Amino acid sequence: MLNLSTTPTTSIDHRIFSSEKAFPSFPAKLAPRTRAMAMAEAAEGQRPRQRQRRQPQPQRQQHPSCGICMEPMPPSEAHRGGGGGCAHAFCRACLAGHVRAKVESGGGAGAVRCPDPSCGGALDPELCRGALPGDVFERWCAALCEAMFAGARRTYCPYPGCSEMMGGPLIHTYSAAFHGFSARMSPAAAAALAEAPGVAAVVPERVRQLATTRSPRFLGLLSSPPSALLADSDFGSDLVIAIIDTGISPTHRSFHDRGLGPVPSKWRGVCSSGPGFPPNSCNRKLVGARFFSAGYEATSGRMNETAEVRSPLDTDGHGTHTASIAAGRYVFPASTLGYARGVAAGMAPKARLAAYKVCWVGGCFDSDILAAFDAAVADGVDVVSLSVGGVVVPYYLDAIAIGAFGATEAGIVVSASAGNGGPGGLTVTNVAPWMATVGAGSMDRAFPANVQLGNGQVLDGVSVYGGPALQSGKMYELVYAGASSGAASSAADGYSASMCLDGSLDPAAVRGKIVVCDRGVNSRAAKGDVVHRAGGIGMVLANGVFDGEGLVADCHVLPATAVGAAAGDKLRKYIGSSTRQAPATGTILFEGTHLGVHPAPVVAAFSARGPNPQSPEILKPDLIAPGLNILAAWPSGVGPAGIPSDGRRTEFNILSGTSMACPHISGLAALLKAAHPTWSPAAIKSALMTTAYIKDNSNGTMVDESTGVVADVFDFGAGHVDPMRAMDPGLVYDITPVDYVNFLCNLNYTEQNIRAITRRPADCRGARRAGHAGNLNYPSMSATFAADGTRATMKTHFIRTVTNVGGGRAVYRATVRSPEGCAVTVQPRQLAFRRDGQKLSFTVRVEAAAPAKKMEPGSSQVRSGAVTWSDGRHAVNTPVVVTVQAPLQ
């Protein structure tokens, strides 16, 4: 089974292949480090280096390398013809695709001779087309391998007039989380390869984008005295969390190793070095670091090493920030420009970190992400944290879903960000059920920076600006370039100026004034830089209708604040009603850090929302965690605004995003795994979900920050994480890899689709008899009905199995909160467990009444409820969501 991932270039595609069996070119005796070196060098089209002894040993034969894949290969695999030919299954597939493409494109004019000197015969194109691999093909492949014995560096196509290298240079090979490789190929060769024996999928490569002093206390993780979860897990001491991101700043105080024990013996990873990252950068805290750029460079060209570094060093800040949220050490004092002063700490302060750098200036490429997953599994990590998102595609075409499945099967918890596409629906990403998909919420901390207008109004805003303040008591003229105020430069239109795009403001019109900028197009910090360079004294960043009331505090380069959509409208109207004789005026009042804010948490406006666009039977996001205005570690070489012109330096920075929420769950998962080492990834996720809460600190249901109205399950999933309750959930919903296969069967995936994900054949006959995709043993239940007008009621059922982890005999009784207009029944209503670890099953039947009124075509109604199992000590909550959809016509 071969899987391929492609990014189109001009005439060559970049693709990823997968195989259901490990490639014979990776002998078990080859150490992970040897494989990693070979992969990295093969991506550059070079012959892999071999480890050399100081004293050569005559009896030790140097292994040659395959002429196509450049991997080291024992002589026993390089035999010619005869019993089986070259054992490199993926090389045969490369050749098969290449030959077939040449034949079908008419490139094979004239006789084509086998390059094997012992053969010399003509190659029959029809034989290549219909019988690959056959005897002739085996001879061909064997000859290519033999060519390496003679010192050949590359093997070219033997077709007359063709100088193309066979298969193109490999980018990555995968053998742990996934069996396959990525390579650049012509579209014709890739299409032919997809039909070759053993190929399960040809996947186009996609580019992904990157999606605390208070959060531990907000979550109940107190260090002194230590909370039960921290104490029972020894702060996550022997667990390794993989951070797949932009790299890491190894010298940051959050990653010191004082007081830590030896590196866990299970760790098999390496500490790659490079510019700014010497070989001794790793320690007992940061136990490993790697970087993967071959996919990025295969598509975008060789990186500009004046702007990026070819090493695990973080020159962006995102990876350092997320790593310290997951597992940063206790650091005091910590703050950002004077804001959020206190003790900084990650969720699992003693957990070890391994950094896998896959994100570059041009984005995060699937082939590199998959290589990081593969390395993380081989290295022996316990948790993978991935704050990267992109488009949602079928799971068999999703490199993140494929890599995460391999990791989950190896017992690794995978936590991924839900994306920052909110508040619109159907925006959630990373939706595979074997991943924890994490949305973002707020904490009870705020950074008010309000706008006081000359007419007496005060508009609420937020900011973490820490430079020279505006003159106290002075009111400054306000200007909005979107109005007919003449603030736009002569070269820009009103729209560009309203957005404060680069070069759009007229310095003469904005100098010494506070400029109102609309949110969108360029980054929030970049708008402030545009205003600053044009001579403005300050900026108010105003939300539009889509952004609603969601606010994010930024480290602006000038006095600036952000206001919501309603305040933005008031501000624009005030400016629009002003005259030359009575100009609009105002100032910004920075109020520092406020704690104990109500209500909290709220669902962050940017947090991506459900329903799940790929499989609505699985509720996504799974849950939310703190992700709004999170303070965490920051590299010393990057300004807090994240723009080149920002010369300020700070040890910590405040950022917002589901990227910040994800590592909270990653760190908590490490704590749970340390406290419960026998729990599976699914059991850990279940514990986090079934103990989550939906009430805020005002005792109301959490609200949506963008609208101020009550949020629903598509906003927060099972609810906001509650680490202390997750420590002792009572019951868990466990899921095995076979269960996931049955789920894929019930999605009507083909056997080949499933094999692309799972690396094994699938028999779907039993799965489809068992029911539907919603019967995956998931800690939530989601039913979707079509309101076609033919039925007065619509029915479905869910079968679930729970495992007792509460410590012995217990009797749980079910309480049902039915969705509005629905009848929900549970059978049986009581579960009597005799021992710890016992499994018992129950059935939930849902009956929904058809809408009383005809729905608009394409519209939907969402109703939510819950089934809660309680034994008097534990409350195991399972969301039930019913969606009624009207046909498009």
Side-chain angles (χ1 to χ4, degrees):
M1 170 183 125
L2 285 162
N3 231 5
L4 187 80
S5 160
T6 308
T7 300
T9 56
T10 51
S11 59
I12 298 178
D13 284 351
H14 165 196
R15 302 178 181 262
I16 301 169
F17 299 80
S18 85
S19 172
E20 65 193 59
K21 296 182 178 179
F23 295 134
S25 54
F26 295 130
K29 62 186 177 184
L30 290 181
R33 179 165 185 168
T34 305
R35 292 204 305 268
M37 292 171 60
M39 292 177 198
E41 291 162 5
E44 298 296 328
Q46 301 172 0
R47 188 171 183 170
R49 296 190 298 269
Q50 302 292 325
R51 295 183 180 182
Q52 300 291 337
R53 295 178 178 266
R54 292 182 182 273
Q55 299 296 327
Q57 303 295 321
Q59 70 273 18
R60 184 179 178 87
Q61 184 175 355
Q62 182 84 18
H63 285 177
S65 297
C66 176
I68 304 168
C69 68
M70 301 296 177
E71 282 295 329
M73 184 175 56
S76 61
E77 293 187 17
H79 53 268
R80 303 168 61 177
C86 177
H88 288 214
F90 61 122
C91 295
R92 295 206 305 268
C94 273
L95 285 167
H98 189 88
V99 171
R100 188 173 299 176
K102 288 294 180 183
V103 170
E104 295 181 353
S105 65
V112 181
R113 301 287 175 179
C114 176
D116 185 344
S118 68
C119 173
L123 297 178
D124 182 354
E126 290 305 315
L127 178 62
C128 292
R129 182 197 303 270
L132 291 173
D135 290 344
V136 172
F137 181 81
E138 294 293 351
R139 284 174 176 255
W140 187 342
C141 194
L144 294 175
C145 295
E146 287 291 322
M148 288 309 296
F149 278 104
R153 295 294 300 269
R154 290 176 172 81
T155 305
Y156 293 93
C157 174
Y159 277 88
C162 176
S163 60
E164 184 175 344
M165 183 179 173
M166 296 301 303
L170 279 169
I171 295 168
H172 292 297
T173 54
Y174 315 106
S175 62
F178 175 73
H179 295 156
F181 66 101
S182 55
R184 290 168 59 93
M185 298 189 74
S186 68
L193 178 56
E195 299 177 5
V199 177
V202 175
V203 183
E205 169 143 73
R206 293 173 176 85
V207 185
R208 314 276 178 155
Q209 301 299 327
L210 294 166
T212 127
T213 52
R214 185 66 178 174
S215 58
R217 178 173 291 273
F218 183 72
L219 294 172
L221 298 177
L222 303 180
S223 59
S224 182
S227 62
L229 181 54
L230 288 174
D232 289 355
S233 65
D234 189 22
F235 299 77
S237 178
D238 287 330
L239 278 292
V240 180
I241 303 175
I243 307 293
I244 300 179
D245 212 295
T246 64
I248 197 166
S249 179
T251 59
H252 197 282
R253 286 194 294 160
S254 292
F255 310 128
H256 73 78
D257 65 354
R258 292 188 299 276
L260 291 181
V263 174
S265 59
K266 66 181 179 181
W267 176 247
R268 301 181 296 273
V270 300
C271 189
S272 301
S273 61
F277 209 95
N280 62 350
S281 295
C282 295
N283 56 20
R284 296 191 306 276
K285 175 66 175 180
L286 177 62
V287 297
R290 298 177 184 262
F291 65 97
F292 301 91
S293 62
Y296 165 48
E297 294 184 276
T299 299
S300 305
R302 190 172 180 84
M303 75 172 65
N304 178 3
E305 296 189 46
T306 62
E308 309 184 77
V309 294
R310 196 181 297 279
S311 79
L313 183 68
D314 183 12
T315 57
D316 176 273
H318 192 273
T320 298
H321 201 269
T322 56
S324 69
I325 292 171
R329 303 297 304 275
Y330 290 103
V331 176
F332 177 83
S335 69
T336 297
L337 306 178
Y339 291 86
R341 293 183 183 275
V343 178
M347 297 296 99
K350 285 188 177 180
R352 317 310 171 102
L353 287 166
Y356 298 83
K357 181 177 178 179
V358 300
C359 296
W360 308 86
V361 169
C364 319
F365 286 73
D366 275 0
S367 56
D368 294 333
I369 293 172
L370 198 52
F373 266 112
D374 197 63
V377 173
D379 290 346
V381 307
D382 298 284
V383 177
V384 168
S385 187
L386 181 70
S387 291
V388 174
V391 298
V392 176
V393 295
Y395 302 131
Y396 57 87
L397 297 177
D398 186 342
I400 289 179
I402 293 170
F405 184 91
T408 301
E409 194 172 27
I412 298 168
V413 181
V414 179
S415 172
S417 56
N420 297 334
L426 288 166
T427 51
V428 64
T429 65
N430 294 324
V431 295
W434 43 86
M435 293 189 284
T437 306
V438 189
S442 70
M443 296 187 294
D444 61 343
R445 180 179 66 189
F447 308 105
N450 302 330
V451 181
Q452 182 178 343
L453 301 181
N455 63 5
Q457 291 187 82
V458 177
L459 308 177
D460 292 342
V462 298
S463 177
V464 286
Y465 169 71
L470 297 173
Q471 184 175 331
S472 178
K474 179 178 179 178
M475 301 297 281
Y476 296 83
E477 185 175 347
L478 300 171
V479 60
Y480 173 56
S484 54
S485 58
S489 69
S490 58
D493 54 41
Y495 173 78
S496 298
S498 71
M499 293 285 179
C500 297
L501 302 183
D502 194 28
S504 66
L505 299 178
D506 180 4
V510 304
R511 186 171 294 113
K513 301 174 183 177
I514 295 177
V515 181
V516 177
C517 299
D518 291 337
R519 186 172 169 179
V521 184
N522 56 340
S523 74
R524 299 182 300 272
K527 294 176 188 293
D529 187 48
V530 170
V531 173
H532 186 250
R533 286 188 283 111
I537 194 69
M539 177 187 73
V540 178
L541 181 61
N543 281 1
V545 174
F546 178 80
D547 304 302
E549 302 306 312
L551 299 178
V552 174
D554 294 302
C555 296
H556 293 287
V557 295
L558 82 170
T561 188
V563 299
D569 286 343
K570 293 178 182 178
L571 188 56
R572 297 182 194 96
K573 289 178 181 177
Y574 174 55
I575 296 173
S577 65
S578 65
T579 64
R580 187 179 299 274
Q581 292 73 30
T585 62
T587 189
I588 304 173
L589 307 174
F590 299 95
E591 299 184 11
T593 304
H594 285 196
L595 301 177
V597 173
H598 287 70
V602 302
V603 180
F606 56 77
S607 187
R609 315 300 167 96
N612 185 333
Q614 189 54 227
S615 47
E617 301 88 352
I618 303 299
L619 177 63
K620 293 286 182 172
D622 289 309
L623 74 173
I624 64 171
L628 183 64
N629 300 329
I630 304 300
L631 181 139
W634 195 247
S636 60
V638 183
I643 55 178
S645 63
D646 186 8
R648 300 171 296 173
R649 295 295 179 260
T650 180
E651 191 179 16
F652 294 87
N653 200 5
I654 292 173
L655 298 181
S656 297
T658 56
S659 284
M660 284 66 249
C662 168
H664 279 88
I665 297 300
S666 305
L668 294 175
L671 293 180
L672 288 177
K673 190 166 186 177
H676 302 285
T678 62
W679 284 9
S680 69
I684 290 171
K685 184 169 74 168
S686 172
L688 293 167
M689 290 176 63
T690 60
T691 57
Y693 61 87
I694 64 173
K695 297 289 186 180
D696 59 29
N697 58 4
S698 297
N699 203 34
T701 301
M702 285 187 290
V703 301
D704 182 343
E705 184 196 24
S706 68
T707 61
V709 303
V710 172
D712 65 25
V713 290
F714 288 154
D715 302 324
F716 52 65
H720 191 285
V721 67
D722 186 342
M724 301 311 300
R725 289 188 59 215
M727 174 71 179
D728 182 20
L731 305 175
V732 293
Y733 295 87
D734 209 354
I735 306 176
T736 68
V738 173
D739 295 326
Y740 289 125
V741 171
N742 291 339
F743 163 77
L744 296 172
C745 289
N746 284 316
L747 289 182
N748 292 321
Y749 278 17
T750 67
E751 183 178 340
Q752 186 174 14
N753 295 156
I754 297 171
R755 199 163 62 244
I757 301 167
T758 65
R759 311 181 306 280
R760 65 173 65 86
D763 183 355
C764 288
R765 290 172 295 182
R768 286 169 181 153
R769 282 198 303 270
H772 53 86
N775 276 337
L776 178 68
N777 200 40
Y778 212 69
S780 60
M781 304 175 198
S782 178
T784 301
F785 298 114
D788 54 12
T790 62
R791 297 171 293 173
T793 58
M794 299 160 286
K795 302 177 182 180
T796 191
H797 72 283
F798 301 95
I799 301 171
R800 292 291 187 269
T801 300
V802 286
T803 304
N804 180 23
V805 295
R809 299 176 68 91
V811 177
Y812 285 81
R813 293 175 176 84
T815 302
V816 176
R817 178 169 57 86
S818 296
E820 182 181 354
C822 301
V824 176
T825 59
V826 179
Q827 185 64 33
R829 296 295 295 263
Q830 179 174 296
L831 299 175
F833 294 92
R834 298 186 303 276
R835 64 183 184 280
D836 205 44
Q838 184 180 359
K839 300 177 183 290
L840 292 175
S841 299
F842 62 95
T843 301
V844 176
R845 301 187 186 279
V846 178
E847 184 173 317
K853 297 181 180 179
K854 185 176 181 180
M855 299 172 60
E856 292 291 327
S859 64
S860 63
Q861 296 178 359
V862 180
R863 314 161 186 176
S864 62
V867 172
T868 302
W869 290 98
S870 177
D871 66 346
R873 187 164 67 94
H874 305 95
V876 185
N877 191 64
T878 307
V880 177
V881 57
V882 174
T883 304
V884 179
Q885 292 181 334
L888 292 175
Q889 54 180 344

